Amino acid sequence: MTGRGQGSAGDLLELVRKGRATTRGALQQATGLSRATVGQRLDRLFRAGWLREGAGGPVGSPLGGRPSITLEFDDAHAVVLAADLDTRHARAAVLTLTGEILAEHGGTLVVEDGPDAVLGELGGWFAELLEKAGHRPDEVCGIGLAVPGPVDSETGRVVQPPIMPGWDGYDIRGRLARAFTERTGAPALPVLVDNDANLMAYGEQRTGHPDCSAFVLVKVSTGIGAGVVVGGSIFRGVDGGAGDIGHIRVGAEALCRCGSYGCLAAVASGGAVARRLAESGVPASSGSDVRDLLAAGHPEAAALAREAGRRVGDVLATVVTLLNPGVLMIAGDLAGTAFLTGVRELLYQRALPRSTARLDVVTSRLGERAGLVGAGALVVEHLYAPERAEERLLALGV
């Protein structure tokens, strides 16, 4: 193979990063490029600090000889910043390029305070986290942000988010980049924004289920949303609206925060369960309060969580029939035994046996870190994709 898009330095980097070709000889075979051309393009990657030589591999010839030197992606040449916003709480972290969390912080951050204030505060969190992790601002290659609303991935703007008043159409990328610069003095960085369930699904699939070709994660917290990963990539739909199952009508009379009646989120989210508990005299105002009650073994909270799980399971029977996933993961504030039991009851009752025969219904492995890991991975996959990597190499002058 020759030509742009088939044998560039960025393409060679992709082959090494994905483990498809990790020696010079394997790269020649995979691309059809000459030994000299492969050497020239690898030299650019070495000068950028993106590749390193690893240990020698096994000797390939029965006649013996020197082992092949393996090539590795050097994940120490930069770090990534990531943040995951919920309605009243946020987490932020510094991560390596391979997803290891080096420093993290969680605290109160209320999305209803508006994007300018929230994103400005995140800029301060990032500056403090870099100092904690022992990294300079100029070592950061990009920022990833998970938000609790539908996102147009082309613009990074949320689109009519039911639980993010004041954020619709706001330039999140630009404001967060400015906030980072204001707090650190570093040049503006690339900022990528996506829906929180999407990034949780991406992080969980890549970390725990890399061989699953169709993966669905359902986050049940203040609202309800689903993230879908197909063939290793997030499935977003035409404008970021895929997976918004919280606003499927289920025939109930409850008023949803989106302004409609009968949405799944209005009767089965953490917020909905909290309202019902409060009406019966149990102090609860949010999904996190319900989570704490469930952890303490509160019987009424468990009963309501199981009922909510049945409602969600009824909807998921259709989701599973449509997508035929290998893994269905339940995450968020309600992701415990009671809710999962309810989901399984209705899911297996309503879905065709053919759709569930090879389905694993599980709970989150990464927990509150899933969105951070997914946001970090989104940045890395974007910045080191072949075409973008080639542009960055040219900008670096190598």
Side-chain angles (χ1 to χ4, degrees):
M1 300 179 189
T2 57
R4 170 67 214 110
Q6 299 179 52
S8 71
D11 291 305
L12 268 58
L13 178 67
E14 179 86 345
L15 290 169
V16 173
R17 280 203 318 119
K18 303 299 185 182
R20 297 172 188 152
T22 57
T23 65
R24 287 167 173 81
L27 288 170
Q28 287 177 241
Q29 187 174 8
T31 62
L33 298 174
S34 70
R35 179 178 179 179
T37 302
V38 167
Q40 290 167 358
R41 294 179 181 174
L42 288 177
D43 183 59
R44 297 178 65 201
L45 297 170
F46 283 121
R47 282 186 283 146
W50 295 0
L51 282 188
R52 64 187 173 207
E53 290 187 341
V59 176
S61 169
L63 300 177
R66 297 179 62 184
S68 300
I69 298 298
T70 58
L71 302 168
E72 301 174 349
F73 179 59
D74 189 346
D75 67 338
H77 72 268
V79 293
V80 177
L81 294 170
D84 185 3
L85 292 181
D86 208 331
T87 52
R88 304 189 64 81
H89 186 270
R91 301 186 74 84
V94 182
L95 300 93
T96 68
L97 299 182
T98 50
E100 178 189 354
I101 293 180
L102 302 175
E104 66 180 310
H105 173 71
T108 300
L109 210 53
V110 182
V111 293
E112 290 186 354
D113 289 344
D116 186 64
V118 169
L119 298 174
E121 184 69 15
L122 275 182
W125 286 16
F126 285 149
E128 293 172 4
L129 281 168
L130 282 171
E131 185 174 349
K132 181 179 178 182
H135 283 276
R136 303 185 311 273
D138 62 3
E139 294 179 278
V140 182
C141 63
I143 299 172
L145 177 65
V147 297
V151 177
D152 182 337
S153 61
E154 293 297 318
T155 65
R157 299 171 188 250
V158 291
V159 182
Q160 299 178 355
I163 57 177
M164 298 179 71
W167 290 71
D168 185 23
Y170 186 85
D171 181 16
I172 296 174
R173 290 176 179 172
R175 177 66 183 105
L176 189 51
R178 289 195 305 275
F180 177 73
T181 297
E182 290 164 3
R183 295 302 186 104
T184 65
L189 291 170
V191 176
L192 276 75
V193 185
D194 210 329
N195 170 261
D196 55 357
N198 282 351
L199 292 180
M200 290 174 70
Y202 197 44
E204 294 276 9
Q205 188 270 338
R206 288 168 61 92
T207 302
H209 304 273
D211 297 325
C212 181
S213 60
F215 178 97
V216 176
L217 178 143
V218 179
K219 179 185 179 183
V220 187
S221 290
T222 301
I224 300 176
V228 181
V229 179
V230 177
S233 298
I234 298 171
F235 179 77
R236 299 181 176 89
V238 295
D239 64 1
D244 200 4
I245 64 171
H247 300 286
I248 293 175
R249 307 290 174 82
V250 293
E253 296 299 319
L255 176 64
C256 182
R257 293 181 66 172
C258 73
S260 298
Y261 286 88
C263 293
L264 180 64
V267 295
S269 65
V273 172
R275 284 193 297 275
R276 291 189 62 183
L277 287 168
E279 289 167 2
S280 65
V282 179
S285 61
S286 66
S288 59
D289 290 337
V290 178
R291 179 190 62 207
D292 294 341
L293 289 167
L294 291 171
H298 192 282
E300 188 172 353
L304 289 174
R306 183 168 179 170
E307 180 184 332
R310 288 173 58 85
R311 286 186 176 272
V312 173
D314 196 12
V315 169
L316 289 179
T318 300
V319 172
V320 166
T321 301
L322 178 65
L323 296 177
N324 189 209
V327 175
L328 172 63
M329 179 174 284
I330 307 299
D333 291 330
L334 296 193
T337 301
F339 185 85
L340 194 64
T341 299
V343 167
R344 285 178 167 146
E345 285 177 9
L346 263 289
L347 173 62
Y348 288 106
Q349 178 183 326
R350 299 291 170 85
L352 291 172
R354 172 70 181 81
S355 300
T356 57
R358 298 172 61 188
L359 176 68
D360 288 331
V361 182
V362 299
T363 53
S364 171
R365 293 178 59 174
L366 296 175
E368 294 182 332
R369 290 179 163 182
L372 296 174
V373 173
L378 186 73
V379 172
V380 172
E381 291 304 316
H382 171 74
L383 292 180
Y384 295 93
E387 289 191 11
R388 181 67 177 133
E390 194 66 25
E391 294 172 1
R392 294 176 63 214
L393 287 170
L394 291 172
L396 290 171
V398 299

